[in-house]
């Protein structure tokens, strides 16, 4: 039974300690029983950021370039992995994300499409404004005609009341005159 044992009693490491930087015979570093510092002291300080107008100009150019690349028809976002269970809210998230990407047509640049969309939207807005203005004008005309009719009706009523008042006054006056004449006239 010599030579077998399968390594149970030996003190061999499962990896090469020399690869880590510890030579044979050296002791392992002491174990730590507390967490490391949140902000350890830096051995090398970082280089200062570039400042000035040139750096700001380059940053603005880079951001503009990235934005322009995203508007190109060749910019395709990776499709999100579908879940096993479809949730009610997924329907709304998907529609919001894919609105700008689903209308891709090869051979047409984004600028041309946006111009067409904007011109179509402008035409619709103009038509809507014109319709609203026409409706408002019609309502104003109706209101003014109604006001004129009401004004005419009021004038007619006032004239009738005045005429009625004058007639009543005249009748009363005539009655008084008749009564006076009867009293003072010779028999």
């Amino acid at each position: 039974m010599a030579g077998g044992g399968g390594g149970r009693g030996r003190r061999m490491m499962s990896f090469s300690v020399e690869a880590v930087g510890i030579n044979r015979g050296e002791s392992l570093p002491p174990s730590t029983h507390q967490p490391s510092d949140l902000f350890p002291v830096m051995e090398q300080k970082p280089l200062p950021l570039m400042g000035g107008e040139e750096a700001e100009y380059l940053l603005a150019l880079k951001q503009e370039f990235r934005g322009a690349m995203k508007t190109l028809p060749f910019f395709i976002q990776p499709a999100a992995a579908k879940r096993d269970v479809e949730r009610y809210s997924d329907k709304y998230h998907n529609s919001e994300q894919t609105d700008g990407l689903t209308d891709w047509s090869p051979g047409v640049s984004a600028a041309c499409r946006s111009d067409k969309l904007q011109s179509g939207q402008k035409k619709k807005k103009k038509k809507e404004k014109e319709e609203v203005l026409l409706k408002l004008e019609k309502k104003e005309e109706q209101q003014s005609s109604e006001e004129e009719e009401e004004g005419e009706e009021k004038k007619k009523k006032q004239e009738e009341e005045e005429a009625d008042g004058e007639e009543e006054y005249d009748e009363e006056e005539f009655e008084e005159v008749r009564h006076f004449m009867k009293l003072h006239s010779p028999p």
Side-chain angles (χ1 to χ4, degrees):
M1 296 216 162
R8 264 195 177 248
R10 296 185 184 183
R11 293 189 168 201
M12 293 285 292
M13 299 271 181
S14 61
F15 60 92
S16 175
V17 182
E18 292 157 354
V20 178
I22 301 173
N23 293 329
R24 284 189 174 225
E26 290 182 10
S27 63
L28 295 174
S31 62
T32 57
H33 296 290
Q34 57 185 351
S36 61
D37 296 335
L38 289 177
F39 301 103
V41 177
M42 297 177 65
E43 295 175 6
Q44 297 177 351
K45 292 187 177 182
L47 295 174
L49 293 174
M50 291 175 41
E53 292 181 19
E54 183 179 348
E56 290 176 6
Y57 175 71
L58 289 174
L59 179 64
L61 267 178
K62 182 179 178 182
Q63 289 174 346
E64 185 179 340
F65 179 71
R66 282 186 176 174
M69 291 300 289
K70 287 183 180 179
T71 59
L72 290 176
F74 306 109
F75 181 76
I76 300 173
Q77 291 182 343
K82 290 190 175 184
R83 298 180 184 174
D84 294 337
V85 178
E86 186 174 340
R87 291 182 173 78
Y88 181 75
S89 61
D90 291 344
K91 180 176 21 173
Y92 297 106
H93 291 296
N94 291 340
S95 65
E96 291 172 1
Q97 292 173 355
T98 59
D99 283 344
L101 300 176
T102 56
D103 59 348
W104 179 74
S105 57
V108 178
S109 68
C112 293
R113 281 185 289 148
S114 64
D115 289 342
K116 289 179 184 177
L117 290 175
Q118 288 177 356
S119 64
Q121 291 173 351
K122 288 179 183 177
K123 289 179 183 177
K124 288 180 183 177
K125 287 181 181 179
K126 286 182 181 179
K127 287 180 183 178
E128 291 174 0
K129 287 180 182 178
E130 290 175 1
E131 290 175 2
V132 169
L133 289 174
L134 289 174
K135 288 180 182 178
L136 288 174
E137 288 176 0
K138 287 180 183 178
K139 286 184 180 181
E140 287 177 0
E141 290 174 3
Q142 289 176 352
Q143 288 178 350
S144 62
S145 63
E146 289 175 2
E147 290 174 359
E148 289 175 4
E149 290 175 3
E150 290 176 3
E152 290 175 6
E153 290 176 7
K154 287 180 182 178
K155 287 180 183 176
K156 287 180 182 178
K157 287 181 182 178
Q158 288 176 353
E159 290 174 359
E160 289 175 1
E161 289 175 1
E162 290 175 2
D164 290 341
E166 289 176 3
E167 290 175 5
E168 289 175 7
Y169 180 73
D170 290 341
E171 289 176 9
E172 290 174 5
E173 197 173 300
F174 286 132
E175 287 178 16
E176 289 177 5
V177 170
R178 285 183 197 158
H179 183 57
F180 183 76
M181 294 288 275
K182 285 181 184 176
L183 291 175
H184 296 293
S185 65

